[in-house]
Amino acid sequence: MEPLITSVTSEINTNFNLNVVVNEPADTTPCNASADANSVLEYIREPFRMTSLITLPQNGHLPRQPRAQGLEILVIDGDCTDGNTDYPGSSYLRFPQFRDIRSRNGCRLFVKYNQFLPDDEGERNIDTSDPDKWFPGPVDGISIRPLHVFKTESIMLLHWKNACEFRPKLDPQGEEILVLTGLLQNKDQLYKPNSWIRNPVEDWLDWHGSSNTLLYYKSGHFPDHTDLAM
């Protein structure tokens, strides 16, 4: 039987009208015997939604959630497989249905459960390390790697070759950021690797990145449910 997420009992970061910053994600109690750590960044019980940083040991399994449909994964380091295809570090994956993801040698994953927009059936297996797929960004010194676009939702990686500043284009459904390498800064604070940020429109700010900063950047995907803003 595939492992289940069992350690999360309380909802986490449910108000999408508030700015949320997790600078040093804390490892919760291991979610099952197959995962070393599950740092839950957001968890909503109904309608189910979860975002986590998950560390799988050698021969570990990705925790399964019975209600999860869409599965979005960024392989931060290490490697994983679904039994048919191997996914090395720097892979970006999208599966409309849950996959049994395992790691032979251990890996660290950024995982988003059940967050596909309605009718989004797009499956992705992208090697983000391919230099030919990166393009000039919004300002000199920043390059982008598009990952997925569907309706209002846009997902990409942003890489700072040189230290510089830019202001993201406003989106009515917010932005989400995971700092992968380097340092990100705004007028309020400094964000180190593994920092996770979720901003509503009212809190959009200029971002300044140091040389070699790499971000996962997602916008236009906040849930349109008034009950999530309570």
Side-chain angles (χ1 to χ4, degrees):
M1 180 180 295
E2 293 168 319
L4 303 179
I5 296 172
T6 58
S7 64
V8 184
T9 57
S10 300
E11 294 189 314
I12 299 171
N13 293 327
T14 62
N15 192 336
F16 283 77
N17 289 326
L18 298 178
N19 172 261
V20 177
V21 175
V22 182
N23 261 323
E24 295 184 4
D27 293 339
T28 64
T29 302
C31 46
N32 55 62
S34 295
D36 274 350
N38 180 21
S39 301
V40 179
L41 303 171
E42 64 180 11
Y43 169 57
I44 297 169
R45 190 174 292 110
E46 294 293 344
F48 173 71
R49 176 190 183 101
M50 180 180 282
T51 299
S52 296
L53 285 166
I54 297 178
T55 301
L56 299 183
Q58 186 175 6
N59 298 318
H61 293 242
L62 183 69
R64 180 176 178 84
Q65 221 296 336
R67 293 172 293 162
Q69 296 297 318
L71 184 65
E72 179 185 354
I73 300 173
L74 180 64
V75 185
I76 298 174
D77 54 48
D79 58 81
C80 59
T81 182
D82 61 9
N84 296 313
T85 305
D86 294 336
Y87 308 110
S90 300
S91 295
Y92 174 77
L93 314 172
R94 290 179 68 88
F95 304 117
Q97 301 296 324
F98 190 86
R99 294 285 183 93
D100 182 15
I101 300 295
R102 307 160 181 251
S103 181
R104 299 186 185 95
N105 303 304
C107 65
R108 192 158 181 265
L109 308 174
F110 177 60
V111 183
K112 300 180 76 65
Y113 290 93
N114 217 46
Q115 297 181 40
F116 281 31
L117 295 179
D119 301 321
D120 185 357
E121 297 294 329
E123 186 168 315
R124 299 282 183 270
N125 174 12
I126 296 174
D127 176 9
T128 67
S129 66
D130 183 352
D132 294 334
K133 301 297 184 180
W134 286 79
F135 303 98
V139 297
D140 289 342
I142 297 178
S143 57
I144 63 171
R145 184 19 168 135
L147 299 175
H148 185 70
V149 175
F150 184 79
K151 294 183 178 178
T152 61
E153 181 178 275
S154 177
I155 307 167
M156 67 186 73
L157 297 181
L158 291 166
H159 179 255
W160 271 254
K161 182 178 180 181
N162 306 309
C164 60
E165 183 176 285
F166 91 106
R167 183 178 182 84
K169 182 180 178 181
L170 286 175
D171 188 289
Q173 289 181 272
E175 68 175 354
E176 179 181 348
I177 295 166
L178 178 68
V179 182
L180 298 168
T181 63
L183 295 173
L184 186 68
Q185 187 173 5
N186 60 23
K187 67 180 182 63
D188 294 326
Q189 64 186 104
L190 185 69
Y191 307 94
K192 300 178 181 179
N194 300 321
S195 295
W196 181 75
I197 306 151
R198 199 181 69 196
N199 282 334
V201 171
E202 292 80 1
D203 285 316
W204 283 55
L205 301 166
D206 291 341
W207 294 107
H208 178 86
S210 64
S211 177
N212 205 36
T213 293
L214 179 65
L215 307 181
Y216 164 95
Y217 187 90
K218 185 171 185 175
S219 63
H221 65 297
F222 281 21
D224 186 19
H225 298 292
T226 56
D227 57 316
L228 298 185
M230 301 302 290

